[in-house]
Amino acid sequence: MKWGTFISFIFLLSFTESKTLPRRYRDVDEKDTIGHCFTELHEENFKGVAMVMFAQNVQESTYEEAAKMVKDVTDLAQKCVASKEDAACLKPLTAIFLDEICHEQGLPEKYGLAACCAKADPERNECFLSHKNSTPGFIPHFKKPDPEEGCKQYQENRAALLGLYTYELARRHPFLYSPTILSAAGHYEEMMKACCQADDKAACFNEKAPSVMKPVKESGLTEQQTCEILKKFGERTLKALKLVQISQKFPKADFATVNKLVTDVVHIHTECCHSDMMDCIHERVKLTEYACSHKDTISTKLNDCCGKSEVERSECIVHLENDDRPEGLSPTVREFIEDKDVCEHFAKEKDAFLAKFVYEYSRRHPEFSHLMLLRVGKGYEELLENCCTTSNPAECYGKGEEILKKQVQESQEVLATNCNLYKTVGEYFFQNALLVRYTKKMPQLSSKELLHFTKEMAAVGAMCCHLSEDKIFPCAEGYADLILGQICRRHYARSINPHVCKCCSNSYALRRVCISNLGIDEKYVPIPLTPDLFTFHEDLCATQETELQKKKQELLIRVIKYKPTITEEQLKTIITYFLDMREKCCKAENHEACFTEEGPKLIAKSQALVAQ
């Protein structure tokens, strides 16, 4: 094996952090100027990204205010195409956009941003970042236009309607990457074209609108998760994740090419996570140009994506399916557990050696999830740390293959158990099983939160459990990871409990395993049994089946919060008591009187049951 100086040099470059200000806060070369970006993106895309930046940074501004700022920076960009040496044209992109906000008469004061504008970069940008609010409802829900009126607006002024859609989407999703928003605007236009020609426009919009918003939601969660990984676990962890993902997606690319892509992708996320949206899309365009100019050595599947426009191209590559494994690729990576010089390589160039292992293992296993491969890499690192201090390292790490196989098998068994349960009982009862588990693990969460998170987890079963063996693992653990990311962000905002804190903070690779292995929170103080904890009224008789199911789940949560050690059989019995009471009282002449009498009896019986 010849990893040697070449790899050490690559990783010296990729793991070295700049001690100076990031490029977005320094003067830029010609290729990074506003004039070059305008030429590169073309006018419509440039205006789209500008609208995203202004709508995300000043969420409460009106569309007219945002559109006026878009016009100002577009005028400047057009001027800079012709006059490249003008000092205003050589400013960093982010500075130009923040200057526009801060110099707009009365705007900073109107929206509480004057203190940010008084700062110098990079503190100014960090201040704007801290003012962003992604809380649902902070910006009122968008009122859908009448289908006929919407189609009329589209036909009369297409650009204005798409600008308005971009504005409304961006201000409600202040952390969503600009390429994702522009891609969503493209899908929105496709829907407008199709539905405005339909006989029943309203039905067409109702049918197609969810498919326009679904990728926005998923991309938003993925991007939020990526930024959280960068913030919480650091650049090294994000590089490891991107190494796994890119090695799986492009298994025919050599290690040096994959490493270049990893370094560039992580740099792009750094820009995007700091809300430098013009830099974000500009860097993505540059990376897609590189990928497309080297598509013969990266992946033949890039052909379709590379034929699209600059903005569409980057989104296409992000969602591209994994390429086929190269012919003749050995099924195992035996040199990492058989070579006598393994410990020497590990000691001399640890990060480079581990990266090469992860690259080789990932490109051979598209059927594994990204997290599984990160765990394999972490397991291999721990194996060498232990073995390389023994008297016979080769004999010790020679057993590594069996250890890694066991690790993979354990994860596969967890997945099989959950999918078998889902297939046996269906989505509703699968969610109930998850409710029991997660209420015991995290009783501090509200009923609304527990219902939300477990409903999303149960939906993973519907999305993934029917897939083929090579797709099921990446699908299930990938979506589960996004949900656990939401739980961890909830914990970062308001602490849940010390056990969750440990899982969310110690290791990204082991987070899912850690949370899955959590038991009852022993330090949780059960809620007291008060009269208003279990109240039943005659509205139960008018309840539709879906609403009744929800009420049963809420009862389930309250019972577990009252008695966290309750058994599954006891829970089933209490739910049966509840359904029997409902049936009896809904047949009674006076529903409310019956519930008033029977409710306390149900509580007394339940108390006696769990006290056994």
Side-chain angles (χ1 to χ4, degrees):
M1 296 181 294
K2 296 181 180 179
W3 293 296
T5 309
F6 173 64
I7 295 174
S8 298
F9 174 69
I10 289 175
F11 274 77
L12 178 65
L13 289 179
S14 62
F15 281 92
T16 300
E17 295 184 9
S18 171
K19 301 301 180 186
T20 58
L21 278 176
R23 182 186 59 74
R24 57 184 172 274
Y25 303 126
R26 305 194 306 264
D27 286 339
V28 294
D29 61 32
E30 187 182 327
K31 288 188 177 179
D32 297 318
T33 61
I34 190 170
H36 179 81
C37 281
F38 182 85
T39 303
E40 180 182 63
L41 293 175
H42 308 299
E43 184 171 344
E44 186 168 302
N45 285 332
F46 180 89
K47 285 181 173 178
V49 181
M51 179 60 79
V52 170
M53 290 195 71
F54 291 128
Q56 288 184 330
N57 278 293
V58 196
Q59 290 170 261
E60 295 175 283
S61 64
T62 65
Y63 174 66
E64 289 72 24
E65 287 169 333
K68 195 264 182 191
M69 290 188 284
V70 169
K71 182 180 183 306
D72 288 348
V73 294
T74 302
D75 289 346
L76 173 64
Q78 289 172 327
K79 171 189 165 187
C80 291
V81 171
S83 178
K84 297 176 183 177
E85 300 307 315
D86 190 309
C89 302
L90 298 176
K91 282 186 178 181
L93 291 168
T94 301
I96 290 173
F97 282 86
L98 294 185
D99 283 351
E100 175 63 28
I101 294 170
C102 291
H103 296 158
E104 193 66 22
Q105 185 68 38
L107 194 86
E109 293 76 18
K110 182 178 178 182
Y111 297 113
L113 296 167
C116 293
C117 289
K119 299 179 186 289
D121 288 324
E123 287 78 13
R124 180 174 64 164
N125 188 47
E126 294 299 325
C127 183
F128 270 90
L129 204 56
S130 70
H131 276 74
K132 290 188 175 186
N133 192 334
S134 59
T135 306
F138 172 68
I139 299 297
H141 288 295
F142 180 64
K143 187 178 179 182
K144 296 178 184 176
D146 173 78
E148 293 291 347
E149 181 60 29
C151 289
K152 183 182 177 185
Q153 290 175 5
Y154 177 69
Q155 287 157 5
E156 291 178 353
N157 196 334
R158 166 190 167 274
L161 183 66
L162 293 180
L164 178 62
Y165 178 81
T166 301
Y167 158 81
E168 295 289 3
L169 187 60
R171 67 201 291 253
R172 287 170 176 81
H173 299 274
F175 297 103
L176 199 61
Y177 294 0
S178 54
T180 306
I181 293 176
L182 293 193
S183 177
H187 296 314
Y188 175 76
E189 180 169 26
E190 289 170 10
M191 178 180 71
M192 293 299 295
K193 286 178 180 176
C195 293
C196 288
Q197 294 178 352
D199 294 333
D200 190 338
K201 294 179 177 59
C204 179
F205 282 121
N206 288 335
E207 178 190 342
K208 291 185 180 295
S211 64
V212 172
M213 288 308 298
K214 184 173 182 283
V216 172
K217 180 185 177 184
E218 290 180 1
S219 294
L221 286 175
T222 302
E223 290 162 11
Q224 216 174 350
Q225 175 111 304
T226 302
C227 295
E228 198 66 53
I229 291 169
L230 191 60
K231 179 181 176 182
K232 195 75 182 174
F233 300 102
E235 191 175 291
R236 190 173 187 269
T237 298
L238 185 58
K239 280 189 172 179
L241 175 62
K242 293 303 166 187
L243 177 61
V244 165
Q245 293 173 332
I246 293 171
S247 299
Q248 281 188 311
K249 191 183 286 282
F250 304 131
K252 293 173 183 172
D254 62 30
F255 178 66
T257 302
V258 167
N259 185 65
K260 186 250 186 305
L261 294 173
V262 168
T263 304
D264 288 352
V265 166
V266 171
H267 170 69
I268 289 170
H269 283 298
T270 304
E271 301 284 0
C272 298
C273 292
H274 278 86
S275 293
D276 303 307
M277 291 307 170
M278 191 60 77
D279 282 322
C280 175
I281 196 166
H282 172 55
E283 296 294 338
R284 272 179 74 157
V285 168
K286 285 204 298 187
L287 183 57
T288 57
E289 285 175 352
Y290 171 84
C292 289
S293 64
H294 293 79
K295 62 186 177 183
D296 293 340
T297 55
I298 295 176
S299 172
T300 52
K301 289 198 173 185
L302 285 169
N303 283 329
D304 288 343
C305 294
C306 292
K308 297 180 182 292
S309 69
E310 290 86 350
V311 174
E312 292 176 317
R313 188 190 301 161
S314 67
E315 281 295 296
C316 179
I317 293 175
V318 166
H319 297 106
L320 192 67
E321 284 194 0
N322 295 340
D323 200 353
D324 302 323
R325 278 176 284 195
E327 291 182 18
L329 191 65
S330 61
T332 59
V333 286
R334 304 203 63 80
E335 64 266 30
F336 290 93
I337 53 173
E338 290 181 350
D339 194 299
K340 61 182 176 61
D341 297 324
V342 163
C343 287
E344 184 182 341
H345 289 299
F346 183 66
K348 286 183 178 178
E349 48 207 31
K350 178 179 175 179
D351 281 338
F353 184 73
L354 291 173
K356 189 68 161 61
F357 169 78
V358 170
Y359 160 76
E360 294 291 0
Y361 205 92
S362 300
R363 65 200 288 250
R364 285 166 169 79
H365 292 286
E367 77 280 11
F368 288 172
S369 69
H370 304 143
L371 282 174
M372 179 74 255
L373 290 163
L374 286 178
R375 292 195 294 272
V376 166
K378 190 172 179 63
Y380 182 66
E381 180 180 8
E382 290 171 356
L383 176 75
L384 295 189
E385 285 175 345
N386 292 329
C387 291
C388 291
T389 59
T390 64
S391 57
N392 192 340
E395 182 183 354
C396 178
Y397 60 67
K399 300 171 185 174
E401 189 170 11
E402 288 305 312
I403 295 172
L404 295 178
K405 276 184 181 177
K406 184 181 178 184
Q407 195 177 41
V408 171
Q409 187 178 354
E410 286 172 355
S411 294
Q412 289 174 327
E413 285 172 358
V414 169
L415 175 62
T417 299
N418 281 318
C419 275
N420 288 339
L421 178 60
Y422 167 78
K423 290 175 182 176
T424 303
V425 303
E427 192 167 334
Y428 172 70
F429 288 105
F430 181 55
Q431 185 189 359
N432 288 353
L434 293 168
L435 267 176
V436 173
R437 290 182 212 169
Y438 278 83
T439 305
K440 290 185 175 187
K441 295 175 201 278
M442 307 173 191
Q444 297 84 359
L445 291 177
S446 67
S447 294
K448 183 179 179 181
E449 288 171 324
L450 286 162
L451 287 169
H452 169 72
F453 291 135
T454 56
K455 185 175 178 64
E456 289 202 339
M457 289 177 188
V460 173
M463 286 189 288
C464 304
C465 287
H466 67 283
L467 297 176
S468 58
E469 284 188 14
D470 62 322
K471 296 284 197 304
I472 187 170
F473 207 167
C475 175
E477 194 161 32
Y479 278 112
D481 182 47
L482 292 178
I483 299 164
L484 295 181
Q486 292 179 67
I487 291 175
C488 285
R489 285 192 290 279
R490 158 62 173 85
H491 166 75
Y492 301 145
R494 297 191 311 280
S495 178
I496 297 174
N497 64 50
H499 301 299
V500 174
C501 179
K502 181 181 176 183
C503 292
C504 290
S505 303
N506 282 9
S507 167
Y508 172 65
L510 299 178
R511 183 171 72 182
R512 201 275 304 156
V513 175
C514 182
I515 291 177
S516 293
N517 290 337
L518 287 180
I520 295 172
D521 180 13
E522 304 87 352
K523 294 185 179 180
Y524 169 71
V525 178
I527 55 176
L529 187 63
T530 56
D532 61 341
L533 184 60
F534 299 101
T535 56
F536 310 101
H537 299 287
E538 63 178 338
D539 62 342
L540 278 172
C541 299
T543 302
Q544 298 293 322
E545 183 60 28
T546 53
E547 189 60 28
L548 177 62
Q549 287 182 337
K550 185 180 176 184
K551 286 185 179 294
K552 286 190 288 185
Q553 289 176 328
E554 289 170 343
L555 175 63
L556 195 71
I557 293 168
R558 289 199 298 273
V559 169
I560 296 170
K561 287 189 175 192
Y562 165 66
K563 187 73 174 181
T565 56
I566 193 168
T567 66
E568 190 174 333
E569 285 304 314
Q570 288 172 330
L571 277 170
K572 286 180 181 177
T573 302
I574 291 172
I575 293 296
T576 302
Y577 290 164
F578 168 75
L579 293 175
D580 289 345
M581 177 194 70
R582 177 180 180 270
E583 184 178 6
K584 177 181 179 179
C585 289
C586 291
K587 288 179 179 177
E589 188 173 334
N590 188 325
H591 296 168
E592 189 65 25
C594 179
F595 280 118
T596 301
E597 181 181 344
E598 294 297 323
K601 292 180 184 177
L602 183 149
I603 294 169
K605 282 198 299 182
S606 300
Q607 272 185 295
L609 178 68
V610 298
Q612 293 175 5

